[in-house]
Amino acid sequence: MRQVIGPTGEPLTLDDLPPKNTKRWVIRRKAEVVAAVRGGLITLEDACRRYSLSVEEFLSWQRAIDRNGLPGLRVTRAQQYREEPLTN
């Protein structure tokens, strides 16, 4: 069975991914989906179809992890982690 390293450092397989009917997206679940796509366990298209995500939503999770690690995925903290707008 194919596996990648998940956000906790443990192996992650297709069976470990959140259920297809996931409605409550906690940090760990978002991070698992991002790790699965980055590791080639599933494609971006498959992840979006499986979880009814837009590409933009998935990419926002990926950017949040890249910029601020797992805390960047907190919905209640999203404003706090966003970049300051550019002023001229």
Side-chain angles (χ1 to χ4, degrees):
M1 181 175 278
R2 186 133 192 254
Q3 64 183 22
V4 298
I5 300 301
T8 63
E10 297 292 321
L12 183 67
T13 67
L14 283 176
D15 291 338
D16 299 319
L17 291 178
K20 292 179 180 182
N21 62 348
T22 297
K23 299 291 184 226
R24 187 168 180 265
W25 284 100
V26 297
I27 293 170
R28 179 187 49 80
R29 290 179 185 151
K30 292 176 185 179
E32 287 172 344
V33 174
V34 171
V37 171
R38 284 185 167 171
L41 193 59
I42 59 174
T43 66
L44 172 61
E45 294 80 16
D46 289 341
C48 290
R49 187 173 30 258
R50 180 179 178 135
Y51 298 112
S52 299
L53 301 171
S54 68
V55 171
E56 292 78 18
E57 185 172 16
F58 175 86
L59 293 175
S60 74
W61 293 356
Q62 193 167 261
R63 278 191 305 273
I65 290 172
D66 290 345
R67 289 181 182 156
N68 300 294
L70 295 182
L73 291 172
R74 284 192 189 123
V75 173
T76 57
R77 303 265 183 196
Q79 288 289 355
Q80 192 175 38
Y81 294 114
R82 290 196 182 139
E83 290 183 29
E84 292 294 319
L86 297 174
T87 57
N88 292 329

